[in-house]
Amino acid sequence: MAGYVGRFAPSPTGPLHEGSLVAALASWLDARAHGGRWLVRIEDVDLPRCVPGADQIILRQLAACGLLPDDTPLWQSHRGERYRQALERLLAEGWAYPCGCTRKDIADALAAQGRVRERHGELVYPGTCRNGLQGKPPRAMRALCATRHGGGGWTDIEIAWQDRRLGPQRQNLSRAVGDFVLQRADGLWAYQLAVVVDDAEQQVSHVVRGEDLADNTPRQIHLQRLLGLPTPSYLHTPLVLGANGEKLSKQNGALAFDDSRPRVALARAAAALGLALPEGGTPADTLGAAVAAWRERWPAAA
Ligand code: GLU
């Protein structure tokens, strides 16, 4: 497909594990199945969580599996100026604002309203600083997730989107998420802003990533619309669960896969994606068979 650009966007918090190899493989397969390009972006905005050298290990692991990016990888830590420009545009247009609330301020405000709204351990911000800081020093920068209507009240923003695997999706951004952080109190850029700016910069047309990230998509679509950027097509793949039924992640101790046996690692990743592959052969044979199997399983995206 002309113009297809896919990407894999690992956070270098450690080597790739079996779950992240599945995400890498799925995005690569979809790009190849569409005759498109595949890029890699190192998402190292959350520097305190990054492990020095993990980026190079990840690139080496991918290369050992024959997953070679079609262009030089992008490092988010080099892109602060672009994130700042995007934030400035949102601030200038009234779609972002400084927030002076601490976590305790947010919890107290929610309790005073008789609401304790928590989502994945995050409090849903009640919008306290939408009307100004009221003397508090600015801490984080937030994206506005509601539209002001004539009488001074707010109208919710609903985002509807289509996922190639999950089908039609819908989220009331104002209620489910609230005004989310674009730049943290410590100055670090938030994933939501960085990913939107960089998907556009890399001209990503198709995002293929794990289902745990599906819930972020409405926030990203909201920012794309505010910044006048195109919305890519989305496919969220099933998560790979460990023996204990939990999502495989570095946090719960998933192991780096063994890149001295790339064919075995690739075959396991392909199996997790429901692709049945013939035994044996080289990593290149495995990848070739996986592209054919992927094409059958996932119809071409629009
Ligand atoms: N950096 C994110 C992660 O490793 C992935 C972001 C994305 O694919 O949008 O979970």
Side-chain angles (χ1 to χ4, degrees):
M1 177 192 278
Y4 182 112
V5 180
R7 49 62 158 190
F8 174 53
S11 304
T13 52
L16 293 183
H17 55 73
E18 288 190 3
S20 38
L21 180 63
V22 172
L25 178 63
S27 63
W28 184 90
L29 288 172
D30 201 51
R32 287 295 173 266
H34 285 84
R37 282 155 39 81
W38 182 74
L39 307 178
V40 171
R41 179 166 75 232
I42 304 291
E43 298 213 318
D44 56 349
V45 269
D46 191 353
L47 274 176
R49 282 188 57 233
C50 294
V51 172
D55 50 354
Q56 296 304 336
I57 295 174
I58 290 173
L59 293 172
R60 202 190 65 217
Q61 289 176 302
L62 292 171
C65 291
L67 305 178
L68 298 169
D70 294 314
D71 205 342
T72 321
L74 198 70
W75 270 260
Q76 289 192 323
S77 54
H78 301 167
R79 305 220 353 108
E81 198 38 45
R82 299 307 286 267
Y83 308 147
R84 182 171 316 285
Q85 286 166 6
L87 174 63
E88 270 161 18
R89 172 166 170 182
L90 296 172
L91 284 166
E93 293 177 1
W95 283 108
Y97 63 89
C99 169
C101 295
T102 60
R103 196 179 155 80
K104 181 169 183 312
D105 293 335
I106 299 172
D108 290 350
L110 288 170
Q113 294 172 13
R115 303 183 299 168
V116 177
R117 290 201 280 152
E118 196 164 324
R119 177 187 175 79
H120 310 317
E122 290 279 327
L123 296 169
V124 173
Y125 186 63
T128 320
C129 294
R130 276 183 188 173
N131 297 316
L133 286 163
Q134 276 136 43
K136 287 186 285 199
R139 291 169 55 82
M141 294 289 179
R142 290 184 182 274
L144 182 60
C145 288
T147 39
R148 195 187 285 273
H149 59 70
W154 298 95
T155 307
D156 289 355
I157 292 181
E158 277 237 336
I159 305 279
W161 56 287
Q162 181 75 21
D163 185 273
R164 282 167 60 202
R165 172 172 154 260
L166 302 171
Q169 305 288 306
R170 170 174 290 277
Q171 185 181 68
N172 181 321
L173 201 58
S174 319
R175 288 176 190 277
V177 179
D179 297 351
F180 56 91
V181 171
L182 298 169
Q183 188 178 25
R184 296 175 4 183
D186 56 12
L188 293 177
W189 297 104
Y191 157 68
Q192 308 296 348
L193 180 67
V195 85
V196 163
V197 169
D198 289 344
D199 278 340
E201 169 80 20
Q202 293 185 294
Q203 299 184 6
V204 170
S205 60
H206 291 72
V207 171
V208 177
R209 60 185 177 190
E211 190 173 341
D212 54 328
L213 293 163
D215 179 66
N216 295 282
T217 309
R219 270 170 277 182
Q220 294 170 12
I221 293 175
H222 181 54
L223 291 180
Q224 288 154 3
R225 291 180 181 166
L226 298 179
L227 291 167
L229 302 173
T231 291
S233 145
Y234 289 96
L235 167 59
H236 289 88
T237 58
L239 288 188
V240 184
L241 302 181
N244 57 4
E246 277 184 29
K247 179 197 155 196
L248 272 190
S249 71
K250 291 161 208 160
Q251 286 76 17
N252 65 25
L255 296 178
F257 69 83
D258 179 1
D259 62 6
S260 66
R261 299 171 70 213
R263 208 205 68 79
V264 174
L266 282 172
R268 285 171 63 107
L273 290 167
L275 308 174
L277 300 183
E279 296 275 313
T282 64
D285 295 335
T286 303
L287 286 175
V291 173
W294 179 271
R295 217 179 252 127
E296 259 178 47
R297 187 162 161 73
W298 300 107

